[in-house]
Amino acid sequence: MEIIRSITEMREKSNHLKRNGQTIGFVPTMGYFHDGHLQLMEEALYADDYVVVSIFVNPLQFGPNEDYGQYPRDEKHDRERAENIGVHALFIPSVQAMYPTKTAITMTVGERTNVLCGTKRPGHFDGVVTVLTKLFNIVQPTHAFFGKKDAQQLAVVDLLMNDFNFPLQLVGVPTLREADGLAKSSRNIFLSAKERNEAVWISKALLSGQQLVVDGEKNAGSIVKEVTKIVDKHTSGYIDYVELLTYPDLQKTETIEGTVILAMAIQFEHARLIDNLIFNHTGNEPTYILT
Ligand code: AMP
């Protein structure tokens, strides 16, 4: 496996691959790999000739009071895990290489951000689209793989593709969970033993909401109320939001029609966890969710 730190070297590598007619699968990450990341890499290895995984904790997408400094990092462990499954290259640029100066042009996301994490983390998605624009231009992938766990991110990146005509295809990958249902996340290590036990109620509550739809409930407010009641009863975390919206447009809706997302964010003492389920009016998950 190649370790590439220089932007020039990464671009030359991609140019060379493309000249030789090879497809490039790209998995952007912030590192500290867990099985969810590995699943994205497996999908990329299945779809493309050459797989590049980036590790970059992007300062631009963290707010001043967020966990940029504390975000877990372990390059040695990440190298071993990626190499073991056959990833071809890790692209690990420094902050200095990515942002040698403050960018003169700033990107602002104008849709799909006035809900969920967009309101709770102002500027977060502006930072995400900025770094992805840079990474896509450097890596020049054929496909880019994103987890549906960060469903709002996927919806926003979908807008980025459409607005700026990036010549690549987005692939949304299902959320990988622990045996008890907790969505895998690099931040789970920050949960205390008590919080870890409570955190199982995040997915349980979401599943209860989905079950209500399967049973015929069509009222979004009733579902949100029930899901909120369950997490509130079983966890000590602060409920940042529980929302039910259309997907991928992320519009408020009173009734369940078409594809919707039921999403929540819970702030525990040292970890803010997010999770969601995407389903249609019968409660089933649609196979294709992007516009
Ligand atoms: P991160 O390193 O947290 O920025 O995540 C990198 C990519 O992995 C993003 O596209 C995430 O949506 C995806 N991801 C994170 N956790 C999971 C999971 N449990 N299942 C599937 N994908 C995930």
Side-chain angles (χ1 to χ4, degrees), residues 27-31 34 36-37 39-40 61 71 145-150 153 173-177 183-187:
V27 183
T29 82
M30 298 200 297
H34 53 69
H37 293 115
Q39 181 181 248
L40 264 63
Q61 69 191 63
Y71 197 83
F145 297 81
F146 289 87
K148 291 184 194 170
K149 170 166 176 290
D150 298 282
Q153 170 171 274
V173 180
T175 301
L176 195 72
R177 299 174 179 282
K184 298 218 181 215
S185 165
S186 307
R187 291 185 169 104

Side-chain angles (χ1 to χ4, degrees), residues 4-5 7 10-11 14 24 26-30 52-58 61 91-94 97-99 107 127-141 144 146 160-161 166 168:
I4 304 175
R5 295 185 196 275
I7 291 175
M10 184 68 248
R11 200 192 279 282
S14 293
I24 302 172
F26 179 43
V27 183
T29 82
M30 298 200 297
V52 178
V53 178
S54 64
I55 300 177
F56 184 64
V57 185
N58 176 32
Q61 69 191 63
F91 177 47
I92 317 178
S94 65
M98 288 294 277
Y99 303 114
M107 300 178 79
V128 169
V129 295
T130 305
V131 78
L132 286 176
T133 298
K134 291 169 77 76
L135 289 170
F136 290 158
N137 282 329
I138 297 164
V139 177
Q140 305 165 61
F146 289 87
L160 179 69
M161 297 296 102
F166 279 97
L168 62 99

Side-chain angles (χ1 to χ4, degrees), residues 63-77:
N65 299 318
E66 293 182 1
D67 57 353
Y68 175 70
Q70 288 75 43
Y71 197 83
R73 296 158 168 92
D74 188 346
E75 190 184 308
K76 184 169 170 285
H77 156 270

Side-chain angles (χ1 to χ4, degrees), residues 71-280:
Y71 197 83
R73 296 158 168 92
D74 188 346
E75 190 184 308
K76 184 169 170 285
H77 156 270
D78 288 351
R79 284 167 76 144
E80 280 165 13
R81 292 212 73 182
E83 180 141 40
N84 275 343
I85 64 159
V87 165
H88 301 94
L90 281 185
F91 177 47
I92 317 178
S94 65
V95 173
Q96 173 62 22
M98 288 294 277
Y99 303 114
T101 54
K102 191 172 174 297
T103 55
I105 296 173
T106 52
M107 300 178 79
T108 310
V109 186
E111 279 177 36
R112 303 184 179 176
T113 49
N114 61 343
V115 288
L116 308 175
C117 292
T119 49
K120 306 292 172 178
R121 304 185 67 189
H124 169 70
F125 290 109
D126 301 341
V128 169
V129 295
T130 305
V131 78
L132 286 176
T133 298
K134 291 169 77 76
L135 289 170
F136 290 158
N137 282 329
I138 297 164
V139 177
Q140 305 165 61
T142 318
H143 299 106
F145 297 81
F146 289 87
K148 291 184 194 170
K149 170 166 176 290
D150 298 282
Q152 187 172 20
Q153 170 171 274
L154 183 58
V156 168
V157 181
D158 179 45
L159 288 181
L160 179 69
M161 297 296 102
N162 292 338
D163 279 2
F164 291 95
N165 309 94
F166 279 97
L168 62 99
Q169 203 184 334
L170 273 191
V171 183
V173 180
T175 301
L176 195 72
R177 299 174 179 282
E178 302 288 354
D180 65 4
L182 176 67
K184 298 218 181 215
S185 165
S186 307
R187 291 185 169 104
N188 290 349
I189 54 156
F190 295 131
L191 295 171
S192 68
K194 176 173 170 283
E195 289 175 335
R196 173 63 187 84
N197 287 333
E198 294 172 1
V200 66
W201 287 97
I202 298 174
S203 61
K204 279 193 180 179
L206 290 172
L207 284 168
S208 301
Q210 183 181 23
Q211 186 59 42
L212 288 175
V213 179
V214 173
D215 295 342
E217 179 63 73
K218 293 277 176 287
N219 186 279
S222 308
I223 294 161
V224 166
K225 205 166 150 195
E226 182 59 25
V227 170
T228 309
K229 205 168 90 187
I230 296 172
V231 264
D232 192 35
K233 180 167 173 206
H234 294 283
T235 78
S236 56
Y238 169 78
I239 303 172
D240 217 356
Y241 61 73
V242 175
E243 288 183 59
L244 197 153
L245 305 162
T246 63
Y247 196 85
D249 289 338
L250 302 181
Q251 297 294 317
K252 295 194 193 310
T253 180
E254 279 177 19
T255 50
I256 317 265
E257 282 165 53
T259 303
V260 294
I261 180 170
L262 177 59
M264 80 168 83
I266 307 286
Q267 178 71 57
F268 286 102
E269 196 171 353
H270 298 295
R272 181 176 180 277
L273 303 187
I274 58 169
D275 198 358
N276 71 80
L277 291 174
I278 295 170
F279 47 83
N280 61 24

